[in-house]
Amino acid sequence: MERPAWVPRSIDISVPSVSRIYDFYLGGSHNFEVDREAARRAMEFMPGLPKIMQANRAFIRRAVRFATEEGIDQFLDIGSGIPTFGNVHEVAARASPGARVVYVDHDPVAVAHSEAVLADLDDADVVAADLRGPREILAAPQVERLIDLNRPVALLLVAILHFVEDADDPYAAVAELSDALAPGSLLVLTHASYEHVPLPAEQAGGAVDVYKDIRNPLIMRSRDDIARFFKGYDMVEPGLVPMPRWRSEQAPEDEDPYAFSGYAGVGRKA
């Protein structure tokens, strides 16, 4: 396999990457055949996976606009992935000029591309770090430069927590990040679940097994388990709901059934 010039030498391009699979679902070009093969295998069980990812992106844009309407102009996006059209810094800057954004990802390809996209911007940066190490994220110089933790922040954890196993205690990681935020901050979150998937759970489980096979287990949590991440937050209406039901401009009945797979919510820190 020929190594593209934009790929860091440290990357093993023979191993599938969750962020590059996500990029493929969204129609991006920064993925390899190994990623596309894994994505196609998952889609054999859940052909609507791209629709789910598109619903995630649409929710992010709505949530960022909501945050700016609430007066928030700082965003910490953890598990940000490979840059795509309509990224957080673009949406935030249009709604609130001067808004500051720090992206965080542990995938070197995602970080490298973010660095290239953000190279000429003063109000956005990227950190190479893992959600499971919240102290390292909060202490990163990029965060210290751009994010004032004494003012409200929008913390984005979109399509990331379902890749953190219970053994790694994702609730503790979210709680530690939340403890560092000022009152009035927002937690913006989406999470995969078997609930509302328009397939038998056994068939959807085949797609989950593909992620397990590539050593990136996909943890499908219940609505009650997902709601636990919002401890210490007051839920913003309409609460924790399927993605198209969170303040969508489009009538839910016009959405693809797969778009309802999983939950989305925004909470405000008390």
Side-chain angles (χ1 to χ4, degrees):
M1 182 187 305
E2 184 177 351
R3 177 181 294 273
W6 49 265
V7 180
R9 299 300 305 177
S10 59
I11 299 298
D12 183 353
I13 61 176
S14 68
V15 176
S17 152
V18 165
S19 62
R20 297 196 307 264
I21 292 172
Y22 189 90
D23 178 69
F24 171 72
Y25 289 143
L26 292 174
S29 59
H30 296 108
N31 50 78
F32 309 130
E33 181 55 33
V34 67
D35 307 307
R36 296 188 285 272
E37 180 183 349
R40 287 190 288 262
R41 280 197 290 127
M43 289 170 65
E44 289 176 6
F45 298 98
M46 289 184 67
L49 279 166
K51 293 293 183 182
I52 299 172
M53 308 313 164
Q54 291 164 19
N56 258 288
R57 296 302 302 181
F59 166 74
I60 291 176
R61 292 191 289 270
R62 297 195 303 274
V64 169
R65 289 194 294 267
F66 170 79
T68 62
E69 291 166 1
E70 295 293 298
I72 292 179
D73 61 359
Q74 343 183 67
F75 298 83
L76 182 58
D77 183 359
I78 302 178
S80 50
I82 294 171
T84 60
F85 175 75
N87 260 24
V88 170
H89 71 279
E90 296 172 333
V91 177
R94 282 196 296 271
S96 178
R100 298 186 169 197
V101 178
V102 176
Y103 295 109
V104 180
D105 207 286
H106 73 284
D107 185 325
V109 170
V111 173
H113 275 286
S114 297
E115 289 173 340
V117 168
L118 305 174
D120 298 325
L121 301 180
D122 294 328
D123 294 331
D125 210 336
V126 61
V127 176
D130 194 305
L131 170 63
R132 294 168 292 187
R135 291 183 187 177
E136 290 75 13
I137 293 172
L138 295 168
Q142 300 93 324
V143 173
E144 293 184 345
R145 180 175 73 86
L146 289 174
I147 304 295
D148 179 0
L149 293 173
N150 294 309
R151 297 195 299 112
V153 175
L155 171 62
L156 277 64
L157 299 175
V158 176
I160 178 64
L161 287 165
H162 48 234
F163 290 114
V164 183
E165 297 181 84
D166 289 338
D168 291 319
D169 202 349
Y171 297 101
V174 174
E176 188 167 346
L177 289 165
S178 297
D179 286 346
L181 303 181
S185 294
L186 298 179
L187 172 58
V188 178
L189 182 155
T190 68
H191 197 297
S193 176
Y194 283 122
E195 298 169 22
H196 304 292
V197 175
L199 291 171
E202 297 77 13
Q203 183 174 342
V208 172
D209 288 342
V210 172
Y211 282 89
K212 187 184 300 182
D213 290 344
I214 63 172
R215 297 183 177 85
N216 282 283
L218 181 59
I219 312 302
M220 305 288 272
R221 295 187 172 96
S222 69
R223 184 185 184 281
D224 287 346
D225 287 337
I226 298 166
R228 287 176 53 202
F229 288 112
F230 287 97
K231 184 178 180 180
Y233 292 85
D234 297 323
M235 296 302 297
V236 171
E237 289 294 332
L240 186 61
V241 294
M243 291 176 287
R245 297 195 181 279
W246 199 91
R247 300 182 178 231
S248 178
E249 300 88 353
Q250 184 171 329
E253 57 267 23
D254 294 335
E255 293 279 3
D256 186 284
Y258 276 98
F260 294 84
S261 305
Y263 287 97
V266 176
R268 181 181 287 106
K269 185 174 178 181

